[in-house]
Amino acid sequence: MSPYEKSAALFKAASELIPGGVNSPVRAWQAVGLTPRMIVRGAGARVFDVDGNSYLDYVGSWGPLILGHAAPPVVAAVAAAAALGTSFGAPTPGEVELARVLCAAVPGLDMVRLVNSGTEATMSALRLARGATGRPRLIKFDGCYHGHADSFLVAAGSGVLTQAIPGSPGVPPEIAGLTLSLPYNDLEAVGQAAGRYPGEIAAIIVEPVAGNMGVVPARPGFLEGLRQICDAAGILLIFDEVITGFRVARGGAQELYGVKPDLTCLGKIIGGGLPVGAYGGRRDLMTQMAPSGPIYQAGTLSGNPVAVAAGLATLAALTEPGTYEDLEEKGAWLARELASAAARKGVDLTVNRVGSMLTLFFTAGPVNSLEEAKKSNLTRFRQFFQGMLEAGISLAPSQFEALFISRAHTPEDLEQTVIAAEGVWARWN
Ligand code: KE4
C-alpha cells in the first residue's frame, strides 16, 4: 500500500468535482509536483493525513493557527457557541466584544467592521478609500497579495505568483488599469507615481511585512516614507495585516514599526481558523460605511457567533504573558540554525524572518523585492519540500509563501526540523 494511496484516490475524485481538486489553488501542490495529502486531523503542531501519516506542520492553515491545531480554548469556545445557534443575522454581544478587543489592540483602529475573509476586508477597504476620496486609482506592490478582488490581481503574490499567472482573465482592463503595482521597498517609484497622478490616487495598500512573495520585510524607512507620501498627496494608507495582525506583535506591524495607517485589513488569526476578516481605521472614514454613511458593504455571515467565539478565544490566549517573546525566540532560533546548517552543507540560502513568520529562499540573496525573490532556485525548493515531507515535515508548497511557527511548536520540534533540513541538504552534494 502506498503511504499516500487514500490521499491520491480522494484527490482524483476531488479533481472531478472541484477545479484542480482544491478549494484554493495553492493547496494543489502543483509547484512541488506532488499529490496533496488529504488532512483529516490536526493537534498542536501536527496534522494527520487520511493514510495515517503525521506531519510537523508549518503551514498553520496559512497563518491563522498561531496557537496550533485544535487549541483547547478555541475548540471549547466554538462548541459552546454552536450549541447556542450558529448564526442569527442580528447583532450579538460577541461581535461587540471582538470589535472592542481589535480596537484596543491595533493602534490604527478607531472603529472596525467584521467580514468573512481577508479578500472581503481589502475589497471593502478599497471601496471605502475610493468613496471617501472620490479618487479611482490604487497603488499596490509587486508580489504583494491582497486576496482575489479584481483590483488586486495585478502583479499579485501568493497563488497568482506560484501559478505564474500574469494577472487573471476576467479582470477588465478598465479595472486593472486603475491599479499601479510598483516594486516593494522602492519609495522613489511611489513618489514618482504620486507625482504622475496628482489627485487621482485613492490609496496605497501594502503588506507591512510582505508574506506573499515569501517573507520580505519593509526596509527601514519604507513604511514611514509611505506615510509621508500619503499625507502630502491626500492618499489613504492601507496596511494589509491579514497575515501580520496579531502575528508579528499583538498590534501587528503597525505596532512593531510605529507607523499608523488610515485603514487596516485583518484576517486569519482573528478568526482562529474560522472565516473571519475585518477592516477598520479612522472614525471619520469608517462612519462613511452604510448604514452610518453611503458607502455600501454587507455580509450574511459577517460576525457570526461561532467564528467570533473562535476569534475571541484565540486573541484571549495571545494575552498570556511572554507570548510574543516565545514566538520571537522560536523564530530566531529556527532561522539561525537553518541558515547555519545550509552554510555547513554549501547550500545557497537566504532566510527572511519577522517574528514567527519566515521563508527559506534558495538563493544567495539578499531578498528585498519580488525581483530578488524570483532569483530563487525553484528546483531546489521543490527538492527541499519533498525531502522535508518524507521526513514528516509539512511546509508551505510554494517558494513564495511563509512558514509559520505556533505556540504549540516545541524546541524539540524545531530541532527535528533543522536535523531533517540538514539531512536533505547532505544528499545534495
Ligand atoms: P483570504 O481571502 O484568503 O482570507 O485573505 C486574502 C489575503 C489578504 N491579504 C493577505 C496579506 C493575504 O496573505 C491573504 C491570503 N493569504 C493566502 C496565502 N498567503 C491565503 C492562502 C490561499 O490563498 O489559499
Side-chain angles (χ1 to χ4, degrees), residues 11 28 84 129 199 284 309 323 407:
F11 187 65
L84 298 174
D284 65 304
T323 289
R407 293 278 280 151

Side-chain angles (χ1 to χ4, degrees), residues 23-27 61-62 116-120 122 145-148 158-159 207 209 211-212 240-244 265 267-268 276 400-402 404:
N23 285 308
S24 197
V26 282
R27 304 179 196 167
S61 181
W62 305 90
N116 299 281
S117 68
T119 292
E120 272 193 85
T122 57
Y145 177 73
H146 304 290
H148 64 86
S158 186
E207 291 182 62
V209 176
N212 287 293
D240 178 350
E241 297 227 42
V242 168
I243 288 181
T244 55
C265 302
K268 295 185 191 276
V276 179
F400 306 111
E401 294 286 357
F404 296 103

